[in-house]
Amino acid sequence: MFDVIPSPFRVAPGAGPFRFRQGTQINYGDPALAPIVERFCRDVTRRTGIRPELVPDGRGALAGLAPCIRVEIAPDSEIVVLPPPIGVSPSADLAPDERYSLSCDRDRIVVRCAEAIGAARGLTTLLQMMATTPLDADGTLTVPAVRVLDAPRFAWRGLSVDVVRTFFSPADLRQIIDLLALYKFNVLHLHLTDDQAWRIAAGRPSRRGDDATTFYTNEDLRELAAYARERFVTIVPEIDTPAHASALLRLRPELDNGRNMTSRELVAGLPRNSTWLDPDLPATFSVLDEVLEEIADVFPSRFINIGGDEAFGMPETLYIKFVRHVRAYVHSLHKRTIGWQESVRAYAEPDHAIQYWISGARLGTSSPLLPVNVDALVAASIARARGDIECAMARGVPIIVSPVSHAYFDVPYAEPSADPTQERMRQRVGLQFHPVRTVAQSFDWEPVNALGLGAGPEHVAGVGGAIWTETIKDFSELTFMLLPRLTGVAQKGWGDADAATWDDHRRRLGAHGRLWAQDGLTYFKSSAVDWARHTNVDTTVRRT
Ligand code: TNX
């Protein structure tokens, strides 16, 4: 069985299975690969109980005829036939080369790549192959005999996590980063500020945090960014303004202009404050520019997400003035901007990127739970959603595709869990105004087509999942909503359009629940998936 998610570009049969056993030698040809190969060794031991022997190059390695694993940088290898990715790279102007080949034959497993990131992707595939294969009776592991050629379809493959409505510790976020790396995502987009809380040190009048809100120190964020970077994940920070900024107004009352904070009920059962920051108030940018400068310094990412969503009640001219200032300021810090799709209404140049989210499913007329009092302004914003995408396409603004209908993980699950003890959680967690969706329905989409008529791959920057945490109380509820649907977005971001049907994906998923259980992660045991596959894999091997 070959249960790798996302499915590789091409998989062909290899010559005979490789037997992986205690002490199998693994060797690499370039010092730049050392941390990647070392991490692979730790992960494979943690997941299979088998400990390979790491033999750095030039130490008489690979002596004898024993089967071994070799990782090498070989830019002129068979990977040259693979196409470059579509879209925008989160880490650099020129996308790093993630292509790799992996051949598993009787005597040798060889991973080849053009640069270190390709080795990480290739070894992740090998790790999944090993971790989803049961051990043989003699304690060895028969690695499927395959020749894999692989490259991502899209350059940007992200997950946005709302750490405002519910706080997640750096340790929680490191587990999310591990999960992203396991599924070949390359962006963790952190939604750091909103109406309910301001989760960063920058902008606080006193750094001591005397307003009792839990927040990340710059040191926390620097460490997280470094942890992510080692795993080829870029953290893109989001400072959400001009709306969703009530928490900043509470911290900095000088930003109150007497009319920019309103209390309203926007969605059934979820009272929200709505605020907009006033570009005509001198205090606004003296605070915000400082915040952005500090954030640009903390995060090495190429992009800062400036938010820009749901500026209900803000005069359009002020919205445009505000967003233009912010993006010009971020540019002056040598960073690129990304914003939610509404931001294209203020700034539609190709050096900006937008994240498309308002798909029909949100507050769509099809929702039986549509609150009767939907604000006319909200309705108007939704009505403009199609225009946002057309404007971006016409002006060459790259689009990260994140439709609520398929890429939002706070949509409640429709089908029952195979585990009756999960039913209460399933019914409680997730935003109730979304129509419920099965895991299969969430999987049924194509990122280019999701942009509608006239869209082509040239309009797409990449793919992004998102999870909002209004109904999520803790880390186990977070992973319950992320898993298994996160793997579906991984498939759409990495795999070719028709690379995997739901049936393929569902079959592979059956072998992945075990990996999450190994990591102690709660996941939704959808009744549509046979989670009992490979039951003889030892799930007691735990994180060390
Ligand atoms: C809209 S999705 C938001 C979030 C909320 C979500 C659900 C987006 C860009 N903005 O602030 O969490 O609706 O209420």
Side-chain angles (χ1 to χ4, degrees):
M1 282 298 183
F2 186 81
D3 292 319
V4 174
I5 300 175
S7 61
F9 184 79
R10 191 183 301 159
V11 183
F18 180 97
R19 288 197 198 287
F20 179 56
R21 61 185 82 231
Q22 301 294 345
T24 293
Q25 290 194 339
I26 177 163
N27 159 274
Y28 53 87
D30 191 301
L33 301 176
I36 297 164
V37 177
E38 282 162 15
R39 187 171 318 115
F40 169 79
C41 289
R42 283 196 300 275
D43 285 343
V44 88
T45 303
R46 178 165 69 81
R47 294 203 182 271
T48 67
I50 299 178
R51 195 175 290 278
E53 185 195 347
L54 181 60
V55 188
D57 217 25
R59 280 219 229 135
L62 312 180
L65 298 172
C68 62
I69 303 172
R70 162 118 187 130
V71 188
E72 59 192 27
I73 293 186
D76 299 329
S77 67
E78 59 275 35
I79 61 173
V80 296
V81 301
L82 293 164
I86 297 166
V88 175
S89 163
S91 56
D93 288 335
L94 191 66
D97 195 337
E98 298 182 85
R99 299 176 298 177
Y100 70 91
S101 68
L102 166 65
S103 58
C104 297
D105 298 323
R106 193 181 315 278
D107 300 330
R108 239 173 211 233
I109 293 179
V110 183
V111 176
R112 290 200 184 90
C113 56
E115 51 182 286
I117 190 170
R121 301 304 181 214
L123 287 173
T124 299
T125 297
L126 184 58
L127 175 69
Q128 282 198 15
M129 285 166 60
M130 291 175 166
T132 57
T133 303
L135 295 183
D136 295 328
D138 64 356
T140 63
L141 193 152
T142 305
V143 184
V146 286
R147 299 270 166 86
V148 173
L149 264 184
D150 201 11
R153 182 178 184 208
F154 293 111
W156 184 299
R157 306 175 303 279
L159 170 69
S160 168
V161 178
D162 170 5
V163 295
V164 174
R165 276 59 173 262
T166 299
F167 180 81
F168 297 99
S169 68
D172 292 339
L173 294 179
R174 285 196 294 273
Q175 280 206 282
I176 297 297
I177 292 164
D178 291 347
L179 206 48
L180 293 179
L182 183 62
Y183 293 105
K184 302 190 176 95
F185 283 87
N186 61 358
V187 173
L188 172 61
H189 159 188
L190 286 183
H191 182 76
L192 291 165
T193 69
D194 211 301
D195 294 319
Q196 293 81 352
W198 185 259
R199 300 273 185 212
I200 52 176
R204 290 181 174 277
S206 146
R207 298 279 160 144
R208 291 195 310 278
D210 36 21
D211 58 318
T213 302
T214 319
F215 66 93
Y216 305 101
T217 63
N218 288 347
E219 187 64 9
D220 289 337
L221 295 174
R222 282 205 174 91
E223 280 173 18
L224 261 185
Y227 182 91
R229 196 183 185 143
E230 283 165 17
R231 287 150 185 83
F232 301 98
V233 173
T234 300
I235 299 189
V236 175
E238 179 186 353
I239 306 301
D240 195 1
T241 59
H244 286 282
S246 312
L248 184 62
L249 242 79
R250 288 195 298 273
L251 288 172
R252 307 294 294 256
E254 68 267 36
L255 302 185
D256 188 344
N257 71 358
R259 61 172 184 145
N260 59 350
M261 189 160 190
T262 50
S263 184
R264 53 207 295 150
E265 175 122 353
L266 287 181
V267 288
L270 290 174
R272 292 206 264 182
N273 286 324
S274 182
T275 297
W276 49 272
L277 299 180
D278 184 351
D280 287 340
L281 204 65
T284 298
F285 293 125
S286 65
V287 171
L288 193 59
D289 289 358
E290 230 172 76
V291 167
L292 290 167
E293 190 180 345
E294 196 165 326
I295 285 296
D297 179 57
V298 165
F299 289 96
S301 80
R302 189 74 192 87
F303 283 83
I304 291 182
N305 188 314
I306 60 169
D309 59 318
E310 299 190 314
F312 304 135
M314 180 173 191
E316 177 107 1
T317 49
L318 293 183
Y319 177 81
I320 291 172
K321 190 170 178 187
F322 183 95
V323 173
R324 290 188 163 214
H325 172 99
V326 170
R327 79 95 214 157
Y329 189 72
V330 171
H331 274 205
S332 77
L333 301 169
H334 310 291
K335 302 272 185 182
R336 287 181 66 177
T337 50
I338 174 165
W340 295 104
Q341 70 180 79
E342 296 97 312
S343 62
V344 81
R345 299 173 196 170
Y347 188 72
E349 296 297 329
D351 57 3
H352 182 62
I354 60 162
Q355 191 152 350
Y356 159 64
W357 67 282
I358 309 173
S359 60
R362 182 171 194 266
L363 301 182
T365 45
S366 62
S367 169
L369 295 169
L370 189 68
V372 281
N373 64 340
V374 176
D375 194 296
L377 295 163
V378 182
S381 177
I382 292 169
R384 292 180 67 178
R386 177 70 206 148
D388 296 337
I389 301 311
E390 279 168 6
C391 171
M393 292 195 302
R395 303 287 298 267
V397 178
I399 305 170
I400 293 172
V401 191
S402 302
V404 172
S405 54
H406 294 90
Y408 271 36
F409 303 121
D410 53 343
V411 170
Y413 292 113
E415 74 267 39
S417 170
D419 173 357
T421 66
Q422 289 194 333
E423 278 299 276
R424 283 195 35 207
M425 198 192 290
R426 179 179 74 85
Q427 278 153 21
R428 187 171 41 77
V429 186
L431 280 166
Q432 296 303 321
F433 62 77
H434 291 307
V436 297
R437 290 193 148 242
T438 63
V439 178
Q441 284 169 333
S442 300
F443 187 80
D444 182 23
W445 68 296
E446 203 294 301
V448 175
N449 296 344
L451 293 181
L453 225 54
E458 69 278 14
H459 300 118
V460 177
V463 168
I467 187 147
W468 304 98
T469 55
E470 289 100 331
T471 66
I472 291 171
K473 287 198 311 288
D474 57 29
F475 188 65
S476 91
E477 292 185 351
L478 182 76
T479 60
F480 179 79
M481 296 309 280
L482 284 176
L483 298 169
R485 286 185 294 204
L486 179 71
T487 63
V489 171
Q491 176 64 43
K492 304 296 168 174
W494 182 281
D496 256 27
D498 48 5
T501 63
W502 163 244
D503 270 342
D504 300 329
H505 187 69
R506 181 210 337 237
R507 190 191 55 72
R508 290 190 182 124
L509 270 181
H512 282 250
R514 207 144 305 283
L515 273 60
W516 307 331
Q518 275 182 340
D519 292 342
L521 301 177
T522 304
Y523 64 98
F524 170 57
K525 293 185 181 155
S526 160
S527 50
V529 176
D530 174 13
W531 299 103
R533 287 185 56 217
H534 309 320
T535 42
N536 51 344
V537 174
D538 179 5
T539 59
T540 60
V541 184
R542 306 290 294 215
R543 192 175 279 270
T544 44

